[in-house]
Amino acid sequence: MPLPDLRLPSPLVELTDERAQRRGVAVYLKRDDLIHPELRGNKWRKLQHNITAAKEQGFTQLLTFGGAYSNHVPATASAGRHFGFATVGVIRGEEHLPLNDNLALAVSRGMTLSYLDRQTYRSKTEPKVLQRLHEEFGDFYYLPEGGSNALALKGCAELPTEITVPFDVICCAVGTGGTLAGIAHGLRKEQCAIGFAALKGGDFLNAEVDQLQRDAFGAASGNWQIETEFHFGGFAKRKPELDDFIADFQARHGIQLDWVYVAKMLYGVFALIDRGRFEPGTRLIVVISG
Ligand SMILES: *Cc1c(COP(=O)(O)O)cnc(C)c1O
């Protein structure tokens, strides 16, 4: 089994930015985006223990779900190719040709794409729907949407243990909430996590993260919260203000931010810093998850 070249622990770099400095807040970036060119960031952390489990259980195929902009779908395709699994991506909605970059990458890594209309997609975890997929594709190791299951949370809980500087708060972007749920579980008592929802109307995510933690660890950790105002119109939607922020961040720090998740989170982080949400002396870790 060829092991991909993974950069782990991912680099931790201090960010020198006047917007934080003038509030006395120290910011470190946890560069999970540098883990691997394709198995990036939280997607590798979420897949890692699932790949091991799928191998141990003798599966030869992985099947997962996602929207057309899901980063989890191409990451699963890449992992499948690296580790010798066939892969199926079940995509919400209709096929749009040409495929966007995400889905084109998935296909180039050998993934078979299948489409579910939005209504059926909503009931994708029901036995009936999974049964039909089994009839069509045969045996598979099932990865839920976004890859967020108990083993994924376990992988994400390892992130804080890699951090070698003392810190108070860790910030991450939220899609399904699996990453936040895992990271929060991995914190020390005196630390807490803030998630930034990349989608509109993200209040339901509180219950999701709670449930994910209960399923994976038997209890919710209570040491996290979710900011829901920095969605810029909704999932995979953007506004000029966000694009300006990304260009400005690139000019200041030479880092091109992922716009679906990471830029929205960082915009939110600086907004909270500016509002005086963090006492001077606070040490923040910001997870660059992809
Ligand atoms: C998928 C993804 C997220 C969201 O992770 P969840 O565990 O689904 O909340 C955050 N950032 C990036 C870059 C991602 O690709």
Side-chain angles (χ1 to χ4, degrees):
M1 180 162 77
L3 259 176
D5 239 350
L6 297 169
R7 199 159 162 201
L8 283 169
S10 64
L12 184 74
V13 292
E14 186 161 9
L15 187 75
T16 306
D17 193 301
E18 67 191 10
R19 293 169 287 187
Q21 282 172 327
R22 66 171 174 250
R23 294 283 182 180
V25 174
V27 177
Y28 298 86
L29 304 182
K30 180 69 171 151
R31 295 289 307 271
D32 267 19
D33 56 318
L34 301 178
I35 289 177
H36 188 273
E38 287 185 19
L39 297 174
R40 260 182 313 171
N42 66 344
K43 298 303 182 281
W44 168 247
R45 294 190 190 275
K46 292 168 83 169
L47 282 167
Q48 178 181 12
H49 297 298
N50 279 295
I51 298 283
T52 306
K55 279 275 181 221
E56 279 171 7
Q57 292 163 31
F59 286 98
T60 57
Q61 179 165 256
L62 311 173
L63 179 141
T64 195
F65 294 88
Y69 288 94
S70 163
N71 292 332
H72 164 70
V73 168
T76 302
S78 297
R81 200 184 61 149
H82 275 297
F83 294 101
F85 295 93
T87 53
V88 178
V90 183
I91 309 302
R92 178 181 60 226
E94 277 152 31
E95 181 178 37
H96 291 285
L97 294 173
L99 296 174
N100 70 22
D101 291 351
N102 250 6
L103 296 182
L105 175 62
V107 169
S108 76
R109 296 301 177 259
M111 182 174 256
T112 302
L113 298 182
S114 176
Y115 295 84
L116 279 186
D117 66 83
R118 280 160 198 275
Q119 194 180 339
T120 315
Y121 191 87
R122 272 194 286 277
S123 53
K124 61 188 172 302
T125 55
E126 280 175 20
K128 196 173 74 209
V129 177
L130 287 176
Q131 180 58 35
R132 231 179 53 205
L133 289 167
H134 272 295
E135 280 159 21
E136 187 170 352
F137 296 107
D139 223 12
F140 55 74
Y141 181 89
Y142 163 69
L143 284 161
E145 184 174 43
S148 290
N149 60 10
L151 289 176
L153 267 63
K154 181 181 163 200
C156 293
E158 290 160 7
L159 183 151
T161 68
E162 292 177 4
I163 299 172
T164 49
V165 301
F167 67 96
D168 307 294
V169 182
I170 186 164
C171 299
C172 69
V174 175
T176 61
T179 302
L180 174 64
I183 286 175
H185 178 81
L187 295 178
R188 296 171 195 270
K189 255 199 342 283
E190 67 279 10
Q191 298 169 330
C192 68
I194 305 179
F196 293 78
L199 42 89
K200 193 150 86 181
D203 286 327
F204 75 96
L205 288 164
N206 286 293
E208 297 275 323
V209 173
D210 223 69
Q211 191 60 46
L212 283 166
Q213 286 194 322
R214 282 178 212 285
D215 292 345
F217 309 120
S221 61
N223 59 350
W224 50 269
Q225 58 199 70
I226 300 177
E227 297 292 331
T228 57
E229 70 179 284
F230 304 106
H231 56 71
F232 290 89
F235 186 70
K237 301 243 160 70
R238 59 204 296 173
K239 293 190 172 168
E241 210 183 340
L242 184 68
D243 293 336
D244 291 347
F245 175 80
I246 292 170
D248 175 67
F249 197 87
Q250 164 76 41
R252 285 175 197 249
H253 302 297
I255 298 174
Q256 185 64 33
L257 299 174
D258 154 80
W259 64 273
V260 177
Y261 292 101
V262 177
K264 293 180 182 183
M265 168 198 55
L266 257 176
Y267 186 101
V269 169
F270 282 119
L272 295 189
I273 290 174
D274 192 50
R275 289 175 198 169
R277 169 81 164 267
F278 307 108
E279 278 173 28
T282 302
R283 294 154 303 186
L284 284 186
I285 306 284
V286 177
V287 180
I288 308 299
S289 42

